[in-house]
Amino acid sequence: MPTKTVIQNTLKSLNIIDWCDVFSSMTLIVGIIYSPFFFTVGLIMMLVRVLFIGNMKEKIKKLKQSYKILLCLLGIYLLNIVGMLWSSNLQYGLFELNHKMPFLVLPLFCLVISPIKKQFWQVLLFAYIVAITIGVAIGLINYFIDPYADGRFLVPTARNISFAFHLCFAISVMTIAAYKNKEVRKFLTPIIILFTVYIFVASLISGIVTLIILMIFALISIIRKKRKSYSIIAISICAIALVLCGVWLSKQIDNYFTPKQEFALYIKEKTALGNDYIPFDNKFIENGYYVYMYSCPSEVESAWKQRTGLN
């Protein structure tokens, strides 16, 4: 079946309530990747869905049918409430309860919308890939326009380690989908390559390590099929990939700890208060560049006393 037809059938199979579920889940996913604000909004939308949207009798029936699963999942949240009985810091306890709210809302939401349609997961996965692709595009733009780009901050609102894990998960899911479905292979392959290239461009070490682990598991799975041709190809790919990754990691380590040629520092002779700058004897290297090269000890000491009240 052509890809266009599959997409049309998927979209038509979802009703208004299904689209509400998709939209709230998409908002939550965007929040997980980029913004705590959108994460909170997504949780609120899910809670509204559980309490006010849909047939309440049907929702209660679903919860009763899965009460054992529900109790196990909600138990994680209830443990935190019980733990507050021995806490004297009520404010921090309430903060923790709010921080762990997903353990309360997500189980309710998943059970209420069950059984979850296959088309729901397809649309949600598509939205997930689009969200990550937008982040990759922003990251690449920042990389090419900033001569001193830092891979940790290419995507401003995303944490680099978390974003690397999202990239690896998306790559693995798309690879499986491309392997099983020839119709989407031409569409997904360029995105897989783009995500992989970005991991190396941004020097996301956690992403590289995760990819290596996923690749090893995939190759082991292929080898276990006991097909000689596949085994030889798999071992060859694994060996080449490990050598290339080793070379790349050694180069990154060398770039990080070996100082690059110092660039000119156009620094004023005096601070704003008229004091002299003094160069550090032991310079600190970060990402291949010297940092903390100059300071004004008298102003640092004065600011420390003013901030802490200590002499």
Side-chain angles (χ1 to χ4, degrees):
M1 185 180 294
T3 305
K4 184 177 179 180
T5 305
V6 173
I7 295 175
Q8 291 176 345
N9 293 338
T10 300
L11 297 178
K12 290 179 181 180
S13 64
L14 299 176
N15 56 39
I16 295 177
I17 294 180
D18 291 332
W19 280 109
C20 290
D21 297 338
V22 169
F23 188 68
S24 59
S25 301
M26 287 168 53
T27 306
L28 186 74
I29 288 175
V30 171
I32 291 173
I33 302 173
Y34 299 113
S35 168
F37 172 77
F38 283 104
F39 182 80
T40 303
V41 171
L43 282 179
I44 294 173
M45 293 171 65
M46 288 181 174
L47 189 59
V48 170
R49 166 68 170 95
V50 171
L51 297 177
F52 303 109
I53 300 177
N55 190 310
M56 183 58 68
K57 291 183 178 180
E58 184 179 346
K59 288 187 286 188
I60 293 175
K61 182 180 178 181
K62 290 181 180 179
L63 293 176
K64 287 182 177 179
Q65 291 174 346
S66 307
Y67 75 94
K68 292 182 179 179
I69 299 175
L70 181 64
L71 289 177
C72 291
L73 295 173
L74 296 183
I76 300 174
Y77 191 80
L78 295 176
L79 285 174
N80 290 276
I81 298 177
V82 174
M84 286 185 61
L85 298 176
W86 288 270
S87 175
S88 58
N89 193 339
L90 180 62
Q91 183 177 0
Y92 183 76
L94 293 175
F95 170 79
E96 281 295 301
L97 289 179
N98 180 64
H99 188 67
K100 293 179 173 62
M101 188 64 70
F103 290 111
L104 178 64
V105 177
L106 287 176
L108 290 171
F109 177 78
C110 292
L111 291 175
V112 163
I113 68 173
S114 64
I116 302 176
K117 296 179 180 179
K118 178 182 178 181
Q119 293 80 3
F120 173 89
W121 292 114
Q122 291 174 339
V123 174
L124 197 61
L125 180 59
F126 177 78
Y128 179 71
I129 300 300
V130 170
I132 297 178
T133 304
I134 292 173
V136 169
I138 294 173
L140 289 175
I141 291 172
N142 289 331
Y143 177 81
F144 287 111
I145 66 175
D146 185 357
Y148 303 107
D150 190 334
R152 296 171 297 177
F153 309 110
L154 290 178
V155 184
T157 58
R159 291 169 291 184
N160 65 311
I161 296 177
S162 174
F163 193 65
F165 289 148
H166 284 295
L167 285 168
C168 293
F169 177 75
I171 289 172
S172 60
V173 171
M174 288 190 294
T175 302
I176 294 172
Y179 176 77
K180 293 184 176 181
N181 191 339
K182 294 182 180 180
E183 295 293 335
V184 298
R185 189 173 300 170
K186 293 181 180 179
F187 172 74
L188 294 179
T189 301
I191 302 176
I192 294 171
I193 296 173
L194 175 66
F195 286 8
T196 305
V197 169
Y198 179 82
I199 289 176
F200 284 92
V201 168
S203 300
L204 300 177
I205 304 297
S206 55
I208 296 295
V209 174
T210 304
L211 279 181
I212 292 173
I213 294 172
L214 291 174
M215 183 185 63
I216 290 173
F217 276 110
L219 294 175
I220 291 174
S221 177
I222 295 174
I223 293 172
R224 290 182 62 184
K225 292 181 179 180
K226 298 180 179 180
R227 295 181 181 178
K228 187 176 180 180
S229 58
Y230 280 175
S231 299
I232 295 173
I233 294 173
I235 294 173
S236 302
I237 293 174
C238 183
I240 294 172
L242 289 176
V243 170
L244 292 176
C245 289
V247 172
W248 183 86
L249 285 174
S250 64
K251 183 178 179 180
Q252 293 302 313
I253 293 172
D254 181 66
N255 287 338
Y256 192 91
F257 291 105
T258 303
K260 299 177 177 63
Q261 184 177 3
E262 293 189 40
F263 51 88
L265 292 176
Y266 299 98
I267 189 168
K268 296 180 180 179
E269 295 181 358
K270 302 286 185 178
T271 68
L273 299 178
N275 298 311
D276 294 324
Y277 283 108
I278 298 177
F280 277 113
D281 293 330
N282 298 320
K283 300 172 184 177
F284 181 75
I285 300 173
E286 181 177 342
N287 201 24
Y289 293 98
Y290 285 116
V291 295
Y292 307 130
M293 297 184 66
Y294 298 91
S295 72
C296 181
S298 60
E299 291 186 12
V300 172
E301 184 178 353
S302 175
W304 172 258
K305 292 178 180 179
Q306 182 179 1
R307 185 175 182 85
T308 64
L310 301 175
N311 294 322

